[in-house]
């Protein structure tokens, strides 16, 4: 989460501390033993649900040499989350802001029926204005545009910016307004909509970590040979999805709209027939406060089942005790656990809270790297080269417990290889933190870590 905005709104957080009881994540240390997994995981496609024989064949044939039992993990994940796998998708990795914005702009420009956008941040800056003007132009061309934006994530954005879009005919919804007088339901100031979803004509979807902000006007050093004095943007990862799974993103957007008791949207063609356009097998995990903690459970299961490698890239890493123990257990049984975390940050409090875990992780064989120069904002993981996830969810209590989030799990070695290649590319611009160097940090740093750790539940 982009915590600098939450920190600027400290009064809201202070009030939420008084009015919100501390919820807790579910017990997952023994999750596997409590599940009754189907013999064959459910796989849906454009033609409906596949037979057990076909679904099992689909899971086995491509990854016969994988160390991970893909079918078994897929079945466990289905039992834990209740979400089936969806076959026949094309998934395109997008790196950093310029590549993501170019892909989204192309899709928006080609829209014919509707555009549904859900975002945490929508800034009134050069990039935000350009993006808004494009949406306005599509609205005026007869394409219905609907936007959900978080009221804390956009706290610094003038209302006039949104009014201009509303005056053009765009439907806008401020998620969970900060001012309780503007609410039609209960007030939960600590619950935020951190999702990044764009659905165009019901046939193409985007998600990941990229917000609508000028921080994404430039790329990071990812796969760049540019000189170090080049203007550096944030490092993030997004994905473009085509195929049957797009409907899951549409449902997520429409459910959020309905949850805010807003006026019904126009009757656009939100769910057109979707054909199979690729070979990617995905699971879409949608989470919300008080829900079933699907993304949390999927993460824990994948870590617990890992055989060889766990590679995580995380912008805001403040793990709860169960996630931390799962990572430690994996490292102790010989899994290569590597985590890339920020070396440059937009939130000092989260930065120091993450560092408060370093000593314990390093002592148990977890390798830690800090990305240099660019601000890290990506939220990705790849395990045993065949289980990958990209989305909006950070590994922290806020994302798992308090936020609306969305992640995509992709099964397959082709996508897994691309994720691993990206991970090792980021290692090129990262510095490893060793036990020896970490023990030499200053007393001031240790005090900051201790102090930040006291707030981990609310970060």
């Amino acid at each position: 989460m982009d915590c600098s905005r939450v920190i600027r709104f400290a009064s809201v957080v202070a009030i939420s501390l008084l009015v919100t009881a501390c919820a807790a994540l579910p017990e997952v240390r023994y999750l596997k033993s409590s599940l009754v997994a189907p013999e064959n995981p459910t796989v849906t496609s454009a033609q409906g649900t596949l037979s057990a024989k076909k679904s099992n064949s689909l899971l086995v044939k491509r990854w016969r040499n994988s160390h991970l039992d893909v079918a078994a993990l897929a079945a466990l994940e289905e039992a834990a989350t209740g979400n089936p796998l969806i076959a026949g998708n094309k998934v395109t990795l997008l790196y950093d802001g310029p590549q993501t914005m170019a892909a989204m702009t192309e899709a928006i420009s080609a829209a014919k029926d509707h555009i549904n956008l859900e975002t945490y941040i929508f800034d009134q800056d050069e990039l935000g204005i350009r993006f808004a003007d494009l949406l306005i132009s599509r609205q005026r061309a007869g394409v219905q545009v609907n936007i959900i934006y978080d009221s804390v994530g956009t706290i610094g954005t003038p209302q006039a910016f949104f009014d201009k879009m509303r005056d053009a005919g765009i439907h806008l919804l401020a998620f969970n307004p900060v001012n309780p007088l503007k609410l039609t339901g209960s007030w939960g100031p600590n619950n935020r909509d951190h999702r990044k979803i764009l659905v165009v004509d019901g046939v193409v979807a985007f998600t990941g970590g990229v917000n609508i902000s000028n921080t994404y006007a430039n790329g990071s050093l990812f796969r760049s040979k540019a000189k170090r004095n080049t203007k550096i943007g944030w490092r993030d990862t997004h994905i473009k999805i085509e195929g049957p799974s797009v409907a899951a993103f549409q449902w997520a957007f429409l459910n959020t709209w309905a949850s805010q008791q807003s006026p019904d949207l126009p009757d656009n063609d939100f769910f057109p027939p979707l054909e199979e356009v690729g070979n990617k097998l995905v699971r879409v995990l949608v989470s919300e406060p008080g829900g079933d903690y699907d993304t949390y459970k999927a993460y824990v299961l994948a870590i617990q089942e890992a055989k060889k490698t766990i590679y995580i890239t995380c912008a805001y890493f403040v793990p709860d005790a169960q996630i931390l123990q799962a990572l430690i257990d994996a490292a102790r049984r010989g899994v290569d656990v590597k985590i890339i975390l920020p070396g440059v940050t937009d939130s000092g409090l989260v930065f120091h809270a993450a560092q408060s875990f370093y000593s314990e992780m390093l002592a148990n064989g977890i390798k830690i790297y800090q990305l240099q120069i660019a601000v890290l904002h990506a939220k990705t993981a790849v395990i045993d080269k065949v289980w990958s996830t990209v989305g909006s969810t950070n590994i922290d209590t806020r994302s798992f417990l308090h936020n609306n989030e969305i992640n995509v799990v992709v099964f397959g070695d082709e996508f897994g290889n691309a994720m691993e290649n990206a991970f090792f590319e980021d290692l090129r611009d990262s510095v490893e933190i060793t036990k020896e160097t970490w023990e030499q940090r200053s007393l001031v740093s240790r005090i900051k870590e201790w102090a930040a750790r006291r707030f981990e539940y609310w970060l």
Side-chain angles (χ1 to χ4, degrees):
M1 185 178 186
D2 303 283
C3 296
S4 59
R5 293 168 188 258
V6 178
I7 292 169
R8 290 203 304 267
F9 199 66
S11 59
V12 171
V13 176
I15 293 171
S16 70
L17 284 167
L18 296 175
V19 301
T20 307
C22 287
L25 288 164
E27 170 63 62
V28 292
R29 286 174 294 180
Y30 311 106
L31 180 60
K32 179 180 177 180
S33 62
S34 68
L35 296 173
V36 180
E39 184 176 351
N40 294 287
T42 304
V43 180
T44 65
S45 70
Q47 285 73 45
T49 302
L50 301 183
S51 67
K53 183 178 180 180
K54 287 184 177 180
S55 65
N56 190 56
S57 174
L58 185 63
L59 282 160
V60 170
K61 66 180 181 181
R62 294 199 198 105
W63 315 304
R64 195 181 305 277
N65 297 321
S66 171
H67 298 289
L68 187 68
D69 188 336
V70 179
L73 176 57
L76 284 169
E77 198 171 88
E78 179 183 340
T81 67
N83 296 300
L85 289 169
I86 306 172
N89 303 281
K90 180 181 179 181
V91 183
T92 306
L93 273 169
L94 302 169
Y95 304 111
D96 291 341
Q99 192 178 41
T100 300
M101 289 298 167
M104 292 200 298
T105 296
E106 181 180 14
I108 289 170
S109 299
K112 294 179 174 58
D113 183 71
H114 67 274
I115 298 164
N116 288 338
L117 173 68
E118 187 171 352
T119 185
Y120 179 66
I121 293 172
F122 200 148
D123 279 340
Q124 181 183 260
D125 53 25
E126 183 179 353
L127 188 149
I129 291 171
R130 190 165 64 245
F131 201 83
D133 286 345
L134 175 61
L135 293 173
I136 289 172
S137 70
R138 301 309 297 144
Q139 178 68 44
R140 289 174 174 164
V143 177
Q144 182 58 55
V145 180
N146 309 303
I147 301 174
I148 301 171
Y149 62 91
D150 187 80
S151 61
V152 168
T154 58
I155 197 168
T157 305
Q159 183 59 43
F161 177 71
F162 296 113
D163 289 342
K164 180 181 178 181
M165 288 188 277
R166 183 174 284 107
D167 291 343
I170 293 175
H171 296 116
L172 293 107
L173 168 63
F175 180 86
N176 203 357
V178 172
N179 183 352
L181 298 179
K182 294 183 179 181
L183 286 169
T184 55
S186 60
W187 189 46
N190 199 38
N191 297 336
R192 309 310 334 156
D193 187 356
H194 194 237
R195 295 174 190 158
K196 291 86 179 172
I197 297 174
L198 173 65
V199 181
V200 177
D201 288 341
V203 297
V204 60
F206 296 81
T207 196
V210 176
N211 287 291
I212 313 302
S213 170
N214 220 40
T215 53
Y216 292 102
N218 300 289
S220 68
L221 291 175
F222 184 82
R223 292 181 180 168
S224 172
K225 296 180 180 179
K227 296 180 179 179
R228 296 281 172 164
N229 60 2
T230 302
K231 189 174 182 181
I232 304 299
W234 286 25
R235 170 71 183 96
D236 217 329
T237 301
H238 224 69
I239 51 175
K240 175 184 176 182
I241 302 176
E242 301 161 89
S245 65
V246 172
F249 291 88
Q250 194 77 288
W251 275 116
F253 178 90
L254 295 173
N255 284 339
T256 300
W257 190 280
S259 74
Q260 297 293 289
Q261 300 180 18
S262 299
D264 290 342
L265 291 172
D267 190 18
N268 289 95
D269 188 13
F270 289 133
F271 297 100
L274 295 171
E275 300 296 325
E276 294 187 13
V277 296
N279 64 354
K280 296 299 181 292
L281 199 57
V282 310
R283 195 188 314 274
V284 181
L285 301 175
V286 180
S287 62
E288 61 188 14
D292 293 327
Y293 311 103
D294 291 348
T295 305
Y296 181 68
K297 292 175 181 176
Y299 252 116
V300 172
L301 279 172
I303 292 169
Q304 290 175 339
E305 293 297 295
K307 301 297 187 292
K308 292 291 183 179
T309 57
I310 297 172
Y311 299 147
I312 294 172
T313 304
C314 191
Y316 306 111
F317 182 83
V318 190
D320 74 301
Q322 297 182 112
I323 287 273
L324 181 61
Q325 191 60 53
L327 290 169
I328 289 172
D329 290 345
R332 285 176 175 173
R333 66 177 181 264
V335 177
D336 181 23
V337 182
K338 289 186 172 78
I339 305 177
I340 298 178
L341 300 174
V344 180
T345 184
D346 67 327
S347 175
L349 193 60
V350 178
F351 182 71
H352 292 298
Q355 291 184 334
S356 71
F357 293 91
Y358 281 16
S359 293
E360 186 175 1
M361 291 194 296
L362 291 169
N364 286 281
I366 296 173
K367 300 182 181 75
I368 301 171
Y369 302 82
Q370 288 186 334
L371 186 72
Q372 303 300 297
I373 302 178
V375 174
L376 178 64
H377 197 254
K379 308 100 168 45
T380 67
V382 53
I383 295 177
D384 286 345
K385 202 175 285 189
V386 294
W387 185 95
S388 304
T389 187
V390 177
S392 64
T393 309
N394 291 297
I395 297 180
D396 61 8
T397 300
R398 165 153 294 285
S399 276
F400 290 133
L401 195 60
H402 301 304
N403 288 348
N404 280 15
E405 305 279 9
I406 188 164
N407 265 57
V408 177
V409 172
V410 183
F411 282 90
D413 51 9
E414 182 183 7
F415 191 81
N417 276 324
M419 291 284 288
E420 278 203 357
N421 290 338
F423 182 87
F424 284 109
E425 185 68 23
D426 282 328
L427 282 184
R428 185 192 73 170
D429 294 311
S430 300
V431 172
E432 184 174 5
I433 306 298
T434 65
K435 287 191 292 185
E436 293 73 24
T437 57
W438 189 242
E439 288 171 358
Q440 296 172 14
R441 70 195 188 282
S442 68
L443 176 61
V444 172
S445 294
R446 295 169 191 259
I447 292 173
K448 288 180 179 179
E449 293 162 26
W450 177 88
R453 184 73 168 265
R454 308 309 97 179
F455 295 94
E456 63 177 296
Y457 179 86
W458 301 101
L459 297 178

